[in-house]
């Protein structure tokens, strides 16, 4: 079974690079997963062409290719599509992670250019600038083939094909953001939040968590980062819990969450840039882990989730498209949501919600907490099942479009960064340093 058209369209963005290497433009990374030469070739190509020998290096390379857009981006994003595919076969990415990156690159390309020919022209320009006159002999199935041959994906797939992806466009007259009313001061959200953590425009309180915003950056998924860090200290955590050494367990958890904030700051509140806030944030997260670890019923829920996870089954319904079997996954959901409900009650009893340095409501903290789990599973679910999970987790939001809000730009009294202050605002959070600022006492006009 081949890929659906929207995925073939995305692969066609990487086709100039894949053609140059003499590979199959209809396959992820140009390779078959069952070819015995695939793994070695992809590892060699990543190391030789990009200096990549590990997942962090691959993420860094892809981030570089994405960050050079917008502007003439064809050369960079074509390589990004090829590299993301090679990363799967080299063992650095899962296929679903790769597809998130590839589809995002495709959506950027489709938005920037008007046709495959326009894309090809910019690709040639970018590649020539990069090569700086070096001799370059494309294969027979190069750009000429892509432009002209009836079997080329560029000839078979319409440029305006619906890719099923919507990217935020900063050039649009109106802005789109989650409708939110602050539970602290009652102020309505007037402008989009730069992160999933939505702060009030008027009092600076954390008033909501925007799940859609959390899913926007395919290279910043928090789940794999946390799991990798946890695996390094898991034996020490298990030993401390077995000895009932609460202090040692707490110290390890603080080390874990401090490393997590350092490795994945984009998945945390932007206020973690403020050292005082970060210390309180890490301490609160660690204390939540402590009370769960030493509560007998929490351990029972943890064991139930582990059993349900072991019972999961997966199906590859197309190359690169994996789905989790419905019934075992539903059993996992029941275990996870039962665990979430018990933890919420435990946090009520032990005062954990009150440790949040933002003073956020219980509901907002729960949405942020379950988000990581939901983000990890959405790519493996059918559309109806994914929507049901988002709804059940309380992560569905209502979004509105509005004209850009008018306010006064002032310099942050802490870092000097420009900060928009709306009429009537008393406190705001600086998007540059994370400090909560009193509009009158701590900010000065530019």
């Amino acid at each position: 079974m081949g890929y659906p058209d929207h995925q073939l369209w995305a692969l066609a963005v990487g086709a100039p690079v894949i053609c140059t290497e003499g590979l199959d433009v209809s396959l992820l990374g140009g390779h078959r997963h069952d070819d015995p030469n695939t793994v070695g070739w992809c590892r060699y190509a990543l190391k030789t062409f990009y200096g990549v020998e590990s997942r962090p290096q691959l993420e860094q390379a892809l981030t570089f290719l994405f960050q050079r857009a917008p502007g003439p981006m064809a050369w960079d994003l074509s390589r990004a599509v090829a590299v993301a595919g090679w990363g799967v076969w080299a063992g650095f990415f899962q296929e679903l992670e790769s597809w998130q990156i590839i589809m995002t690159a495709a959506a950027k390309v489709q938005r920037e250019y008007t046709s495959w020919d326009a894309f090809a022209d910019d690709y040639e320009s970018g590649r020539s600038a990069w090569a700086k006159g070096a001799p370059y002999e494309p294969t027979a199935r190069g750009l000429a083939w892509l432009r002209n041959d009836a079997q080329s994906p560029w000839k078979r797939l319409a440029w305006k094909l619906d890719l099923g992806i919507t990217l935020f466009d900063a050039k649009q007259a109106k802005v789109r953001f989650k409708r939110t009313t602050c539970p602290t001061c009652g102020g309505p959200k007037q402008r989009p939040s730069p992160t999933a953590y939505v702060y009030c425009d008027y009092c600076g309180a954390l008033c909501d968590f925007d799940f859609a915003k959390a899913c926007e950056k395919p290279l910043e998924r928090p789940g794999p980062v946390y799991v990798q860090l946890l695996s390094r200290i898991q034996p020490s955590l298990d030993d401390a819990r077995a000895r009932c050494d609460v202090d040692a367990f707490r110290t390890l958890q603080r080390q874990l969450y401090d490393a997590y904030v350092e490795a994945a700051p984009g998945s945390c509140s932007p206020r973690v840039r403020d050292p005082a806030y970060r210390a309180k944030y890490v301490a609160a997260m660690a204390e939540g882990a402590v009370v769960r670890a030493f509560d007998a019923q929490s351990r029972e829920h943890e064991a139930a989730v582990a059993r349900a996870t072991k019972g999961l089954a997966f199906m590859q319904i197309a190359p690169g498209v994996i789905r989790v079997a419905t019934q075992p996954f539903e059993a996992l959901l029941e275990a996870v949501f039962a665990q979430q409900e018990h933890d919420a009650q435990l946090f009520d009893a032990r005062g954990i919600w009150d440790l949040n340095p933002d003073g956020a409501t219980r509901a907002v903290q729960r949405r942020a907490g379950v988000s990581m789990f939901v983000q990890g599973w959405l790519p493996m679910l059918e559309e109806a099942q994914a929507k049901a999970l988002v709804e059940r987790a309380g992560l569905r939001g209502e979004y509105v479009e509005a004209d850009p809000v008018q306010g006064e730009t002032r310099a942050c009294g802490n870092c000097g960064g420009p900060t928009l202050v709306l009429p009537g605002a008393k406190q705001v959070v600086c998007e540059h340093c994370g400090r909560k600022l009193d509009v009158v006492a701590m900010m000065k006009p530019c």
Side-chain angles (χ1 to χ4, degrees):
M1 182 185 298
Y3 296 115
D5 282 352
H6 70 287
Q7 288 182 295
L8 288 172
W9 199 103
L11 291 179
V13 170
V17 175
I18 298 300
C19 281
T20 300
E21 302 300 329
L23 304 173
D24 190 335
V25 298
S26 67
L27 298 176
L28 181 65
H31 288 278
R32 293 180 58 86
H33 67 89
D34 55 356
D35 184 336
N37 298 316
T38 291
V39 173
W41 190 98
C42 290
R43 288 181 177 175
Y44 171 81
L46 289 172
K47 179 180 179 180
T48 303
F49 303 146
Y50 298 93
V52 168
E53 296 182 84
S54 65
R55 179 188 175 103
Q57 290 175 338
L58 180 57
E59 290 176 343
Q60 184 177 15
L62 285 165
T63 299
F64 171 77
L65 293 174
F66 269 83
Q67 285 179 343
R68 298 228 299 183
M73 66 172 80
W75 167 238
D76 290 326
L77 292 186
S78 183
R79 289 186 293 162
V81 170
V83 166
W86 296 344
V88 173
W89 308 134
F92 300 141
F93 277 166
Q94 296 178 4
E95 288 188 30
L96 290 168
E97 294 177 297
S98 176
W99 278 114
Q100 286 182 309
I101 295 164
I102 289 170
M103 295 306 300
T104 301
K108 287 178 177 289
V109 165
Q110 191 182 58
R111 184 175 67 178
E112 183 73 11
Y113 301 98
T114 58
S115 67
W116 287 116
D117 281 334
F119 171 70
D121 289 342
D122 200 38
Y123 175 89
E124 287 189 293
S125 174
R127 198 219 166 275
S128 297
W130 175 82
K132 296 179 181 179
Y136 173 61
E137 294 293 335
T139 64
R141 282 167 58 101
L143 280 177
W145 178 80
L146 287 167
R147 287 180 186 265
N148 302 309
D149 195 284
Q151 297 304 310
S152 159
W154 290 5
K155 287 295 184 181
R156 292 186 294 104
L157 299 169
W159 179 259
K160 291 297 185 180
L161 182 73
D162 184 4
L163 301 181
I165 295 177
T166 301
L167 296 176
F168 172 72
D169 188 351
K171 300 175 184 178
Q172 291 178 342
K174 293 182 180 294
V175 292
R176 183 177 184 271
F177 53 92
K178 188 176 183 184
R179 184 192 296 276
T180 300
T181 299
C182 177
T184 301
C185 74
K189 189 65 179 171
Q190 297 289 327
R191 61 193 186 98
S193 172
T195 73
Y197 290 80
V198 181
Y199 285 90
C200 178
D201 296 323
Y202 296 94
C203 72
L206 179 61
C207 55
D208 207 348
F209 183 84
D210 187 347
F211 178 68
K213 191 75 178 179
C215 295
E216 279 185 0
K217 298 182 179 180
L219 293 176
E220 297 184 9
R221 293 177 61 220
V225 175
Y226 177 80
V227 170
Q228 184 179 30
L229 293 171
L230 177 62
S231 66
R232 298 175 186 174
I233 65 167
Q234 190 65 64
S236 298
L237 286 170
D238 291 341
D239 177 67
R241 185 155 67 171
R243 293 185 289 105
C244 294
D245 190 337
V246 177
D247 290 336
F249 192 90
R250 179 181 291 110
T251 298
L252 288 167
Q253 285 291 344
R254 289 187 176 183
Q255 292 173 1
L256 169 63
Y257 281 107
D258 194 62
Y260 175 75
V261 170
E262 185 70 27
S267 67
C268 306
S269 164
R271 294 193 64 197
V272 295
R273 301 186 188 99
D274 177 0
Y277 177 94
R278 173 172 170 166
K280 294 178 181 178
Y281 180 87
V282 167
M285 298 292 284
E287 201 61 31
V290 169
V291 300
R292 286 193 299 265
F294 292 93
D295 175 73
Q297 195 169 346
S298 287
R299 291 197 295 271
E300 292 177 6
H301 283 291
E302 182 182 344
V305 170
R307 288 193 299 271
T309 301
K310 289 181 179 179
L312 293 174
F314 300 88
M315 304 167 290
Q316 182 166 318
I317 63 175
V321 182
I322 299 174
R323 294 286 183 264
V324 61
T326 300
Q327 290 187 344
F329 183 68
E330 290 298 324
L332 174 62
L333 288 185
E334 293 304 320
V336 167
F337 281 105
Q339 180 187 47
Q340 290 277 327
E341 187 58 36
H342 172 73
D343 287 350
Q345 295 175 9
L346 181 65
F347 283 15
D348 282 334
R350 301 291 291 273
I352 300 301
W353 302 120
D354 298 333
L355 299 178
N356 181 271
D358 280 303
T361 65
R362 180 182 191 264
V364 171
Q365 292 187 58
R366 288 194 68 177
R367 283 200 291 276
V370 77
S371 172
M372 187 187 301
F373 171 80
V374 176
Q375 278 181 264
W377 285 105
L378 284 185
M380 295 191 186
L381 305 177
E382 297 293 347
E383 183 177 1
Q385 195 176 17
K387 288 181 178 179
L389 175 57
V390 171
E391 184 76 31
R392 182 173 181 180
L395 295 172
R396 186 178 68 83
E398 182 183 356
Y399 291 81
V400 296
E401 286 189 347
D403 292 320
V405 68
Q406 300 299 313
E408 181 181 358
T409 299
R410 299 188 182 185
C412 169
N414 180 59
C415 73
T419 302
L420 182 66
V421 179
L422 302 187
K426 303 299 183 185
Q427 289 184 309
V428 295
V429 171
C430 175
E431 296 172 358
H432 305 280
C433 69
R435 186 73 63 86
K436 181 182 282 190
L437 306 166
D438 183 275
V439 172
V440 176
M442 300 184 67
M443 300 185 71
K444 56 185 177 181
C446 293

